[in-house]
Amino acid sequence: MKKHIALVPGDGIGPDIVAEAVKVLDVVGKKFGHTFTYDTYLAGGCAIDATGKPLSEETLAGCSKSDSVLLGAVGGPKWDKVASDLRPEKALLGLRGGMGLFCNLRPAILYKQLADACPLKNEIVGEGLDIMVVRELTGGIYFGERGRDGDKAYDTMSYTTAEIERIVRKGFEIAQKRKKRLTSVDKANILNSSQLWREIVEHLASEYPDVAVNHLYVDNAAMQLVRNPRQFDVIVTENMFGDILSDEASQITGSIGMLPSASLRGDSFGMYEPIHGSAPDIAGMDIANPIATILSVAMMLRYSFSMESEAAAIEDSVSKVLDAGYRTADIYTESMKKVGTKEMGDLIAQAL
Ligand code: NAD
């Protein structure tokens, strides 16, 4: 299969970690007989320096016509003082909005090899965690009518049936490919938009009889994530609840350098990126952990290119390298073998 990928390394450690993910993709291509080609685009602070704005038409057009996008991270102290509409992070919103990416997938996986990094007790996490948060990305309170009138300010949470239906369907479809359990999170005891959300989940459930569905109020879901996280397989929820719960879920795994994410729309196109930022404090030092970006590529193969065996091969290689005791500085513990960004990329590529 031939696939053309837009690379958007961005700022800070972005170029370091994207280079390692490309290294791994090229080995997957050779091993499984695929051809991956690439074009590289500017976004974020580096784009401000080169073009005066964080996201150019050229970058958006180039990404839009590719088969999928791999993003590093954007931002850094150099651009902290630019006008708010020119901030590097605007590039992320511009790319997600410009390409209609309404579905954000945030897996929270605790590898058994890294169980010590988890802030929860051993008896709570057991053999490890594997939760997928499916977050609505382009609606809800972040995009609703808002305003300020003297000493009063307001934000509006509103959803249409169509907006809810398309994200809830994604939740069901992803649950079908996993342990077939879907938890829908809302605040239906108070919010009208949540009541509509819950009605739609119940209505769609009959189309996915193989998936067991339950509902949780968002406050209870936040509590259950630390009390009994193993009850969760797939969580589907609206934009703001998903923003908060996906960060909570990722924190209980304890290692920000390990977690990938995907932003999808109705077709196979997607944008894939690690959940962490540009880590300017360690940029260019060959110490950043490239695994979140390498696992983002595994998600790309699974969700955009339907290459399940190839995706699993990357995930297995990561697991093997961890089993062999190799660690970057952020996940290093005593008696392990400390390696840099490039060496970690090499080890995962070799394990393939
Ligand atoms: P950050 O995630 O960049 O860093 C937080 C801490 O985690 C730092 O100590 C960093 O060194 C460490 N870290 C992050 N990724 C790591 C990795 N792969 N390996 C090893 N250590 C890693 O968050 P921050 O410091 O709050 O933000 C830095 C910049 O990144 C800011 O400009 C922020 O706006 C931007 N940011 C961008 C994104 C994105 O592009 N998606 C997301 C979050 C923050």
Side-chain angles (χ1 to χ4, degrees):
M1 214 183 266
K2 280 193 182 141
K3 292 290 174 190
H4 187 67
I5 298 164
L7 302 176
V8 186
D11 308 313
I13 60 170
D16 311 357
I17 54 181
V18 166
E20 299 314 305
V22 169
K23 193 187 272 175
V24 169
L25 256 181
D26 285 340
V27 175
V28 169
K30 277 203 192 92
K31 185 174 152 75
F32 290 87
H34 305 302
T35 307
F36 299 117
T37 54
Y38 312 97
D39 273 319
T40 302
Y41 297 96
L42 295 177
C46 57
I48 297 174
D49 290 348
T51 68
K53 45 187 185 175
L55 180 66
S56 66
E57 284 80 27
E58 188 202 343
T59 294
L60 184 57
C63 289
S64 302
K65 70 174 171 33
S66 69
D67 293 313
S68 73
V69 181
L70 179 65
L71 182 105
V74 298
K78 183 176 176 196
W79 304 282
D80 275 352
K81 293 205 169 66
V82 299
S84 64
D85 59 328
L86 283 181
R87 287 193 53 90
E89 293 77 9
K90 288 278 172 194
L92 299 176
L93 297 179
L95 283 167
R96 289 173 188 154
M99 298 188 293
L101 304 171
F102 66 84
C103 171
N104 188 219
L105 302 188
R106 287 267 303 255
I109 299 170
L110 174 65
Y111 287 86
K112 62 179 188 317
Q113 301 93 328
L114 303 180
D116 286 349
C118 175
L120 302 180
K121 288 183 188 148
N122 285 344
E123 61 260 36
I124 295 180
V125 289
E127 273 294 279
L129 296 174
D130 182 0
I131 303 169
M132 177 70 85
V133 180
V134 180
R135 166 190 168 195
E136 201 289 325
L137 206 55
T138 54
I141 197 163
Y142 296 166
F143 291 86
E145 195 190 329
R146 71 191 61 189
R148 174 106 191 229
D149 182 9
D151 60 359
K152 182 181 157 195
Y154 63 95
D155 301 279
T156 315
M157 184 186 282
S158 89
Y159 271 106
T160 64
T161 300
E163 282 174 320
I164 299 172
E165 195 172 316
R166 65 183 184 177
I167 187 75
V168 170
R169 279 194 187 282
K170 282 273 184 200
F172 275 109
E173 285 160 13
I174 288 160
Q176 279 183 321
K177 292 187 188 150
R178 293 171 45 101
K179 293 186 204 120
K180 301 187 171 41
R181 294 202 314 265
L182 181 69
T183 302
S184 170
V185 173
D186 61 38
K187 191 68 183 166
N189 50 344
I190 296 185
L191 301 176
N192 276 307
S193 56
S194 282
Q195 285 152 16
L196 178 63
W197 181 282
R198 197 174 275 222
E199 269 171 37
I200 291 169
V201 174
E202 306 244 288
H203 176 71
L204 291 180
S206 61
E207 293 182 35
Y208 304 88
D210 51 335
V211 177
V213 187
N214 71 320
H215 302 274
L216 286 183
Y217 296 137
V218 63
D219 41 349
N220 189 17
M223 190 171 72
Q224 294 298 332
L225 267 172
V226 288
R227 209 173 132 175
N228 178 16
R230 277 187 291 162
Q231 72 184 280
F232 295 110
D233 176 23
V234 179
I235 294 174
V236 64
T237 190
E238 66 87 42
N239 200 346
M240 181 171 62
F241 298 162
D243 190 9
I244 298 166
L245 293 181
S246 61
D247 263 18
E248 185 189 358
S250 62
Q251 280 308 305
I252 61 178
T253 72
S255 37
I256 196 173
M258 297 289 298
L259 297 176
S261 76
S263 302
L264 307 173
R265 57 188 194 201
D267 57 8
S268 61
F269 182 84
M271 182 163 84
Y272 299 82
E273 57 187 300
I275 68 154
H276 57 73
S278 60
D281 50 332
I282 56 168
M285 293 164 69
D286 193 36
I287 55 174
N289 186 347
I291 294 181
T293 317
I294 291 171
L295 291 173
S296 300
V297 157
M299 289 188 85
M300 176 190 290
L301 298 178
R302 175 171 294 125
Y303 291 105
S304 281
F305 304 158
S306 295
M307 297 179 183
E308 178 55 40
S309 311
E310 292 84 336
I314 295 180
E315 289 160 352
D316 286 350
S317 303
V318 168
S319 216
K320 274 188 210 145
V321 170
L322 294 175
D323 275 339
Y326 294 104
R327 303 282 189 274
T328 43
D330 57 312
I331 52 172
Y332 177 77
T333 46
E334 215 180 330
S335 82
M336 295 290 137
K337 295 170 229 172
K338 198 185 272 185
V339 294
T341 311
K342 292 193 183 105
E343 195 178 349
M344 182 57 94
D346 287 341
L347 287 163
I348 295 167
Q350 279 157 23
L352 277 163

